[in-house]
Amino acid sequence: MQLANILSDRHYNHLPSWQIVYEWENEIADALGYTITNSPKNKLLMGLYTTQNGRLTNNRFTDYFDNFFSPKKYYSLYFELYTRRNNGFYNNNRTIPIIVDYWNNSSTQKTKNNYQNCPAVLVTSLEVLNYFKTYKINERLIHFPMSLPSKFLLKPDTVFDKKYDIVLAGRANPVLLNYLKEFEQQHPEIEYLYQIMHKGSLYYSSNQRGIIGKFDTREEYLQLIRASRVSFYATPGIDGGEQRTGSFNPVTPRFFELLSAGCNIIARYPENADTHFFELPAICPSINTYDDFKEQLQTALNNPSPVARNADYLTKQYTSCRIPILLDIPFK
């Protein structure tokens, strides 16, 4: 038995947030010669075994289906954005899940029951990994850190056309946004772009010029942040996000994307295992006061884009740097 396959949801899940997952899958498959196959997940099969409220009542059939029809000569990787509440192909004895997000809002014992039989469990967040170790979720818990797909390699001599002062990519942190509003009152010439929903799609609007355009594809989003001098970043479990994440604060891929776009980053985050592992204080100290915010923002706006520094930092954060971890997984 060896790891030689990736189960992918790309055959039915086309949400923009999943595109980076498929980029990870492609790079791993290309580098290691793995096959990518459709996950055995379809509405017809799952619908036959659900109650009227849509919740799975028994997964014995899907376990049998996986074991009978799936090749038995190899293990499969499967990226999971969230841990599952039921058993299925994603956590059986031949699938190695990569847990991308784990929010502490479900039963830890249920998580243990669902994942204890996996050959190994890979976890992107070191903070979550340590939590899983405390509760012995699986005998083989392995840190598989977040990464930036290597196709976005940043060269130190890259030149960007920086059109905008600030782009607020995605959900804006409320504390940093309030600081920005205060700064705007003192510096009305500042221009920043922020995300809005318009006609059912994602658009970005300027505080100076109104709606700039539609940016709802991955490539459009990347082009937008590449045109920004500064962007804000915050881990997801602070400043009102605690209830949603159970106070977990992983470092997300957006941090790497902003760096690869040549941005200066103004950030807020707690001190934890993840922010230490990724050395965030060396790149963007966490902002706790308006005076700190003002000083960092003015410095960022008045200096060249830190492309060389960002490129040097990212040399350790590409997906190619994570691939050796897969080769070292200890199997029984």
Side-chain angles (χ1 to χ4, degrees):
M1 292 278 284
Q2 62 180 345
L3 182 54
N5 183 57
I6 298 174
L7 294 170
S8 177
D9 290 345
R10 64 183 68 195
H11 58 108
Y12 75 93
N13 189 338
H14 306 294
L15 292 173
S17 58
W18 277 78
Q19 294 309 304
I20 191 171
V21 173
Y22 307 145
E23 292 166 356
W24 289 330
E25 292 173 349
N26 290 342
E27 182 167 353
I28 292 169
D30 289 344
L32 298 179
Y34 292 173
T35 57
I36 297 177
T37 58
N38 291 342
S39 57
K41 203 177 190 182
N42 62 70
K43 294 179 180 179
L44 175 61
L45 177 63
M46 301 303 281
L48 291 173
Y49 296 90
T50 57
T51 61
Q52 288 186 347
N53 66 3
R55 184 168 297 174
L56 236 62
T57 57
N58 194 318
N59 268 17
R60 290 181 183 175
F61 179 82
T62 54
D63 283 339
Y64 171 79
F65 183 90
D66 296 335
N67 283 299
F68 186 80
F69 288 103
S70 298
K72 299 185 178 182
K73 295 181 180 179
Y74 55 73
Y75 295 108
S76 295
L77 280 179
Y78 179 67
F79 282 91
E80 294 196 69
L81 255 63
Y82 307 101
T83 53
R84 307 302 178 105
R85 297 183 179 181
N86 304 286
N87 291 317
F89 77 89
Y90 33 77
N91 54 14
N92 67 21
N93 60 8
R94 287 202 320 281
T95 300
I96 298 173
I98 300 176
I99 307 299
V100 177
D101 288 328
Y102 177 81
W103 304 144
N104 187 17
N105 53 15
S106 60
S107 167
T108 303
Q109 185 59 48
K110 185 170 289 187
T111 301
K112 180 176 181 178
N113 291 344
N114 286 346
Y115 290 92
Q116 62 184 346
N117 293 323
C118 294
V121 175
L122 277 57
V123 187
T124 60
S125 165
L126 188 55
E127 184 183 26
V128 171
L129 179 76
N130 293 335
Y131 178 83
F132 279 5
K133 284 183 176 179
T134 300
Y135 291 95
K136 299 179 179 179
I137 299 299
N138 186 282
E139 291 181 3
R140 292 173 180 80
L141 293 167
I142 299 169
H143 189 209
F144 190 75
M146 287 287 193
S147 66
L148 180 70
S150 302
K151 70 178 186 177
F152 300 121
L153 175 70
L154 177 64
K155 297 180 180 180
D157 58 353
T158 302
V159 176
F160 294 97
D161 181 15
K162 298 294 187 181
K163 301 177 182 178
Y164 310 112
D165 293 328
I166 304 169
V167 171
L168 305 180
R171 184 186 295 113
N173 174 270
V175 173
L176 294 178
L177 184 59
N178 285 338
Y179 288 160
L180 178 59
K181 295 288 188 181
E182 185 173 349
F183 185 87
E184 182 185 15
Q185 291 179 356
Q186 301 170 1
H187 302 272
E189 75 283 357
I190 194 81
E191 181 180 28
Y192 58 88
L193 273 57
Y194 54 95
Q195 189 180 92
I196 62 170
M197 286 298 296
H198 180 66
K199 298 180 180 179
S201 297
L202 290 177
Y203 283 72
Y204 275 79
S205 184
S206 163
N207 67 316
Q208 299 280 6
R209 295 177 283 157
I211 292 178
I212 297 296
K214 181 180 177 181
F215 299 90
D216 61 353
T217 69
R218 181 152 173 74
E219 185 55 35
E220 288 169 341
Y221 153 74
L222 293 171
Q223 290 296 336
L224 182 65
I225 60 175
R226 288 167 185 158
S228 177
R229 295 181 180 84
V230 178
S231 193
F232 295 173
Y233 176 78
T235 51
I238 59 171
D239 301 330
E242 295 85 351
Q243 184 173 359
R244 183 172 66 91
T245 72
S247 295
F248 283 124
N249 275 283
V251 174
T252 61
R254 176 164 289 149
F255 178 68
F256 308 132
E257 291 167 350
L258 295 175
L259 290 175
S260 73
C263 293
N264 269 294
I265 298 178
I266 306 297
R268 269 183 63 79
Y269 52 85
E271 184 177 331
N272 68 15
D274 285 303
T275 56
H276 276 293
F277 178 84
F278 288 114
E279 303 176 298
L280 263 66
I283 297 294
C284 48
S286 184
I287 295 294
N288 294 307
T289 68
Y290 173 72
D291 286 341
D292 287 342
F293 173 87
K294 180 180 179 180
E295 179 181 356
Q296 285 201 29
L297 181 57
Q298 288 179 322
T299 299
L301 292 173
N302 293 323
N303 284 281
S305 178
V307 175
R309 182 205 65 179
N310 292 4
D312 180 64
Y313 172 84
L314 288 171
T315 56
K316 298 187 293 184
Q317 312 305 343
Y318 292 110
T319 303
S320 59
C321 302
R322 311 299 185 234
I323 288 175
I325 297 172
L326 302 176
L327 298 174
D328 291 336
I329 295 175
F331 296 114
K332 293 181 181 180

